[in-house]
Amino acid sequence: MNLSSSDETAWYGTAANALPDDAADAVLIGRIWDPRVEGPSPVVVRDGEVIDISAEFPTVRDICELPEPAAVVSGLNGRHVGAFGDVLANTGSPARDRTRPWLLAPVDLQALKAAGVTFAVSMIERVIEERAGGDMALAADIRSRMLAGVGADLHELSPGSEEAARLKTLLVAEGMWSQYLEVGIGPDAEIFTKGQILSAMGTAVPVGVLAASTWNNPEPEVSLIVQSSGRIVGATLGNDVNLRDVEGRSALLLPMAKDNNASCALGPLIRLFDERFDLEQVRGLAVRLDVEGEDGFRLEAVSEMSQISRDPEALVRQLIGPQHHYPDGAVLMLGTMFAPIQDRDHPGEGFTHKTGDVVRISSPALGTLVNRVQNAEDCTPWRFGIRDLMGNLHVRGLL
């Protein structure tokens, strides 16, 4: 598919691109903005059609808190909205018809959380490469000494293990320790707030980076849908947009690097867990990233969930439990192997976004999340908050 920005009607793809390869067998839920009621409605996408189920479940949160969400939703009927392809097209159209529905991010009252540095091997390899200064022989020597000190393959290294503790000691002695490696191989994961409730963007709309940022990138990630009990009930795709120059100045600037207007994208839909798709399938997913710029630049990468250092369930246990509660559940972005170093403009300067970049994040089981990069300051301001949602549902008689 050609995602050239000159084709204003197709940059966001088609329904076939957006939906999972096995959409006919998937239980898919999401959200639309419904102009008839001037508010959001949960929907089921079934057989290529969008079905409004707000009369039964006013929020996606209510669906995800069910004992068996997929079993309930798969047999649920509601108001027919239209073809998914038509709703998608209206979402991404530069001349959106505001009398017709469009897609929103598929979560609502769930907390927006993200895990960082969860692919420790890639992080360690980057440290080795930087320490070696591009000398392959020196890199091999450093790696060999690490393996001798750890006594295990780095790919088998478990964060918080005795082997990880030995590696930490070795890295400290080599002068290579950093706060990022602490959360990469130490006992405690980095889990942070990616955005505020209801602030996430969906597919076929812009994502934002600060205009002042000169070094930033997408982060393609699998995102888990977690009940208030800590049970994982589904998954979607996410883009944890990151300002590398801001975080690089100080780790204490992580909120500024991560949480800006339109800086969190999720979607296109949530795939609920059932007998065909569960956490075991998530562990084996490959997430593909494609970036295409208006300047002709292209970037492709793949992040393999099988390479994650912290198991998704272990990350969820650090997110939610006796130590921390989320009464409306959470979405947890699981991190990425992607660390772009491909030069874009000048040798040695690496990759950074430009406005107009089209970012595609895809996985056969979850579909494709597509966004176009804009300055965060120019993206549509976030105005519809929790008070607005509650008021809208009250007027509609759904509370």
Side-chain angles (χ1 to χ4, degrees), residues 164-226:
R166 289 199 295 270
L167 178 58
K168 176 178 179 177
T169 300
L170 189 152
L171 291 169
V172 169
E174 293 280 349
M176 292 190 290
W177 190 246
S178 79
Q179 56 198 344
Y180 295 101
L181 284 169
E182 176 64 44
V183 296
I185 65 175
D188 300 313
E190 178 192 24
I191 296 179
F192 56 90
T193 297
K194 173 58 186 176
Q196 304 310 302
I197 292 170
L198 289 175
S199 70
M201 310 304 293
T203 197
V205 295
V207 289
V209 299
L210 293 183
S213 175
T214 58
W215 188 24
N216 47 71
N217 63 267
E219 293 192 357
E221 305 184 10
V222 174
S223 304
L224 298 179
I225 309 303
V226 186

Side-chain angles (χ1 to χ4, degrees), residues 26-301:
V27 182
L28 303 169
I29 62 171
R31 292 165 67 236
I32 61 166
W33 182 268
D34 186 352
R36 297 181 324 113
V37 296
E38 298 183 332
S41 291
V43 297
V44 175
V45 177
R46 185 186 302 140
D47 299 325
E49 299 295 316
V50 179
I51 301 167
D52 180 349
I53 56 172
S54 59
E56 293 287 340
F57 298 102
T59 68
V60 169
R61 176 266 182 203
D62 294 325
I63 299 170
C64 294
E65 286 293 308
L66 292 168
E68 299 296 336
V72 173
V73 167
S74 62
L76 197 62
N77 292 314
R79 183 181 67 86
H80 181 260
V81 174
F84 177 78
D86 291 340
V87 178
L88 174 65
N90 193 46
T91 306
S93 172
R96 179 183 292 169
D97 182 350
R98 294 190 170 272
T99 67
R100 297 168 49 222
W102 61 88
L103 292 170
L104 301 172
V107 298
D108 42 41
L109 293 177
Q110 294 93 340
L112 304 179
K113 309 294 286 189
V117 200
T118 54
F119 289 80
V121 171
S122 59
M123 174 63 70
I124 293 169
E125 286 295 332
R126 286 176 62 193
V127 171
I128 293 172
E129 291 167 3
E130 291 170 357
R131 181 69 171 178
D135 186 328
M136 294 182 64
L138 181 55
D141 178 65
I142 295 172
R143 189 177 298 105
S144 176
R145 283 187 282 119
M146 283 187 181
L147 290 173
V150 173
D153 190 318
L154 293 179
H155 284 81
E156 299 174 356
L157 191 68
S158 176
S161 65
E162 292 183 6
E163 292 82 5
R166 289 199 295 270
L167 178 58
K168 176 178 179 177
T169 300
L170 189 152
L171 291 169
V172 169
E174 293 280 349
M176 292 190 290
W177 190 246
S178 79
Q179 56 198 344
Y180 295 101
L181 284 169
E182 176 64 44
V183 296
I185 65 175
D188 300 313
E190 178 192 24
I191 296 179
F192 56 90
T193 297
K194 173 58 186 176
Q196 304 310 302
I197 292 170
L198 289 175
S199 70
M201 310 304 293
T203 197
V205 295
V207 289
V209 299
L210 293 183
S213 175
T214 58
W215 188 24
N216 47 71
N217 63 267
E219 293 192 357
E221 305 184 10
V222 174
S223 304
L224 298 179
I225 309 303
V226 186
Q227 290 183 341
S228 59
S229 65
R231 180 181 172 214
I232 306 166
V233 296
T236 189
L237 294 169
N239 185 354
D240 177 14
V241 181
N242 184 37
L243 309 185
R244 300 184 73 185
D245 49 356
V246 173
E247 187 179 1
R249 285 161 50 202
S250 170
L252 296 180
L253 292 175
L254 183 69
M256 181 180 177
K258 292 289 190 178
D259 184 3
N260 297 292
N261 186 39
S263 66
C264 174
L266 294 167
L269 302 165
I270 293 170
R271 182 165 185 173
L272 294 174
F273 285 178
D274 59 9
E275 65 275 6
R276 299 180 183 88
F277 181 75
D278 58 18
L279 191 59
E280 195 57 37
Q281 277 70 52
V282 168
R283 291 185 176 105
L285 291 179
V287 179
R288 179 180 175 85
L289 170 73
D290 294 273
V291 178
E292 181 176 347
E294 293 180 333
D295 56 358
F297 175 84
R298 296 206 55 131
L299 176 67
E300 300 177 356

